[in-house]
Amino acid sequence: MANLNTDSIKNRTYDAIVIGSGISGGWAAKELTGKGLKTLVLERGRDVKHVTDYPTTFKNPWEFEHRGQVPLEITKANPIISRCYAFREDAMHFFVKDQEHPYVQEKPFDWIRGYQVGGKSLLWARHTQRWSDFDFEGPARDGFAVDWPIRYKDIAPWYSYVEKFAGISGNKDGLPELPDGDFLPPLELNCVEKYFKEQVKSKYSDRHVIISRCAHLTEPQAIHHQQGRGKCQNRVLCQRGCPYGGYFSSNASTLPWAAKTGNLTMRPQAMVQSIIYDDQKGKATGVRIIDAITKEAIEFYAPVIFVNAAAINTNLILLNSTSSRFPNGLGNDSGVLGKYVAFHNYRARVSGSYDGFLDTTTDGRRPTSGYIPRFRNVFKQETDFLRGYAAGFSANRGQYQSRTGLGAELKENLLIPKLGNWNVGSHMMGETIPKETNTLSLDPTLKDEWGIPQLRFNIGYDDNDEKMVKDYLEQISDMFTKAGFKNITASDSKQAPGLDIHEMGGARMGKDPKTSILNGWNQMHACKNVFVTDGACMTSTATQNPSLTYMALTARAADYAVKELKKRNI
Amino acid sequence: MKRRTALKSLALVLGGTLSLPAWANAWNADTLSGNLNQLVSPDQQALLAEIVETIIPATNTPGAKDLGVHRFILTMLADCYEKSAQNRFVEGLTELDETVKAHYGKSFVTCSPAQRLEILKAREEAAKILPPEKEPFFPFLKNITIQGYLNSEYVMREVYKYELVPGRYNGCFPVTASAKK
């Protein structure tokens, strides 16, 4: 019996455990297995195998019973997820339904989740801009949050490292506020976008329009072929999963790579209940899960643990990992765990039309858009709000049919497509200031189906956000006007936080253990063998789409962790 | 051509074999939702088929009836619309046929194609001057018929040349070349 028990524990012991298999968890798995560690990846959702588990990927639009629309019964039962732009008939199977995973909204928060192997890396919008020191130095310069413990020089080589493997397309624009990376050839701005770029350049010294850097293989290299990935085919059906591996996802890239080492064990349907802390050893010893199907509690053990459950669930796991040493959550000596949560402000849009370039249109499809890097308060403080916003920008030629008449006349009209004016549009991606009052906490009584406490969200906008929305609407409208665009419409959706799907913080990095959870290596100040490298680690949000930074931080932290393990420091 | 290149590239990625799994089989009009008859009777379904065919008739290309647009409409109504909208639609259908019977002494489906067109044209003219709440049926019917038609496999594939795998993006494409496609 005793032997059986010892064997059982041995069978559940690994060199490393990674919680989560999304964009950062996939990177942790790749790096740790690549360095020879037998690694267990715990994924709360079902398995999704590359290509074979993309059931809609080869479907034509007419093969969807409701032509893409989600049936009413589903949208009514799931109002939150139904607000997400990608929750459509072709990809709804990759999203969590509201009813199945409830949470408490002290303030409205649209929590968009993808519980499966690969997580939201299957669904992301694939924009990948580097941060600059104007972002890392932000909190210190402008006196909010705490100082980042790292600077651009610390992460720059790791950006290059992940860019080369993931495959990032982009143009070397030479902008100090948006450093160039190791790029595959860029996608193309269309005529009207190029025109706008020139107009902006001639009228503003500090504003730029570029093609967004994005995780698409425009010209796959040997390293991508080795992953079994091929060139992006411009389908722009990415949310269904890409059969070519044309965009980066854990499923297409890091997880199969990790599996090839022979060091990876994937454990889907594993809901992490908590991280086990041993008071005597003074470190974490493993992870307690609840099997999603059988509801059995199982413990797994390893000398190093990476937490990559996605920002919000990472907070939940840490808050729920209590011990006599850490009664308020793992590593939470400072009391800041679950606080200073921030996100990107996506409320505002400006649209318009342009009546030039009527002799041109676009042909084929493009999986990204134009991008306007932050131009407010970059080099110095110049407005009555802190920080600023980046913006998406794109133009496309509208196509329509006359719907006049009935019978043969109507049919004739419908069969002759007509080109309208060019439509132009922009959306805001605003930096929000992490505040102590923007919090995630555990509900004292409510639990989910697996007995895990439900999260309470208390996250909202502030006056700085309101001023920024106003400024974005004014500035972009102004830029559109100067470019000669017509029918300019500025709108504020007032949408709740969450739909940006860029939630960050709660277990922030910092120099001082009294005011932060993680050090400059994403390592817990107070529990050295636990690393948090997903969005929960973020000290501030900058304006860039954050996934590339999570990838770089993860690879960097994994490298450090393995070195520390070898030195027996953890 | 482009599609073939793309498929070849996929085959390369998958290790040279290109066999599509079962779920890749195409949807067709016969596999549509089984809910259809819960909304309307078989007679009403036949009536709707003739109505959509009158709105978009077969010419040298298939019309709405052949493309199954009536079935599409009933599927959408059953699955994507509120009960109130479903009721309005079925009432509208019934009311239309009753009006036809009163005027022509026969049902819509036994009217000649010319009579059917005349009936719907009159209906559209009337809808133009009535406030939407007085005539919710016809504008909805016409719009959803157009939606079903434009999104049918025939129109998307043959007329609008939908490409699942374009394999390219040209941001400054001459309109004349576009029209020739």
Side-chain angles (χ1 to χ4, degrees), chain A residues 10-51:
Chain A
K10 210 174 133 195
N11 289 340
R12 287 180 282 123
T13 302
Y14 297 82
D15 297 332
I17 294 173
V18 176
I19 303 173
S21 64
I23 223 155
S24 68
W27 267 97
K30 172 189 171 289
E31 295 304 304
L32 296 170
T33 56
K35 291 172 194 299
L37 271 59
K38 295 284 179 197
T39 303
L40 173 69
V41 174
L42 298 171
E43 166 52 53
R44 67 180 296 158
R46 67 188 171 95
D47 194 12
V48 171
K49 289 263 191 306
H50 183 47
V51 189

Side-chain angles (χ1 to χ4, degrees), chain A residues 470-499:
Chain A
K470 188 167 172 282
D471 189 70
Y472 165 88
L473 293 172
E474 285 168 4
Q475 294 305 314
I476 300 292
S477 298
D478 206 36
M479 289 157 73
F480 277 20
T481 304
K482 285 183 172 145
F485 296 161
K486 304 275 166 47
N487 306 313
I488 297 168
T489 310
S491 61
D492 174 0
S493 71
K494 309 254 181 194
Q495 68 188 34
L499 287 182

Side-chain angles (χ1 to χ4, degrees), chain B:
Chain B
M1 182 61 198
K2 291 282 183 194
R3 184 181 162 89
R4 207 157 53 228
T5 315
L7 282 171
K8 251 163 62 188
S9 136
L10 172 67
L12 193 78
V13 166
L14 297 179
T17 52
L18 184 62
S19 62
L20 298 181
W23 45 254
N25 290 332
W27 167 89
N28 63 52
D30 296 331
T31 62
L32 273 172
S33 165
N35 294 337
L36 304 186
N37 293 332
Q38 292 173 11
L39 276 185
V40 295
S41 67
D43 281 354
Q44 283 174 315
Q45 196 176 321
L47 168 64
L48 182 60
E50 295 311 323
I51 291 174
V52 299
E53 181 65 14
T54 307
I55 296 173
I56 303 174
T59 50
N60 55 346
T61 61
K65 182 180 158 186
D66 285 344
L67 297 177
V69 170
H70 54 299
R71 299 169 70 97
F72 166 77
I73 293 172
L74 292 173
T75 303
M76 291 299 284
L77 268 176
D79 296 344
C80 299
Y81 285 85
E82 298 279 0
K83 192 94 195 106
S84 55
Q86 296 172 357
N87 291 341
R88 262 202 310 276
F89 187 83
V90 178
E91 282 161 19
L93 211 52
T94 312
E95 183 268 334
L96 175 82
D97 207 31
E98 278 165 7
T99 311
V100 171
K101 280 176 189 156
H103 278 264
Y104 292 82
K106 52 185 175 179
S107 88
F108 187 88
V109 295
T110 52
C111 286
S112 72
Q115 284 172 326
R116 291 178 193 171
L117 189 59
E118 186 184 291
I119 291 161
L120 293 187
K121 279 188 170 168
R123 195 66 194 242
E124 182 168 49
E125 287 311 309
K128 279 179 189 163
I129 50 170
L130 285 172
E133 64 276 11
K134 292 270 188 216
E135 172 53 308
F137 175 66
F138 192 84
F140 176 84
L141 170 70
K142 184 174 174 182
N143 278 333
I144 198 166
T145 301
I146 292 173
Q147 186 196 353
Y149 178 70
L150 290 178
N151 287 290
S152 68
E153 175 174 0
Y154 177 81
V155 174
M156 288 198 83
R157 199 198 280 279
E158 302 301 325
V159 182
Y160 284 85
K161 310 289 180 201
Y162 175 81
E163 295 170 286
L164 187 65
V165 188
R168 68 186 184 286
Y169 178 73
N170 185 331
C172 294
F173 195 68
V175 163
T176 45
S178 151
K180 269 187 234 149
K181 253 201 340 172

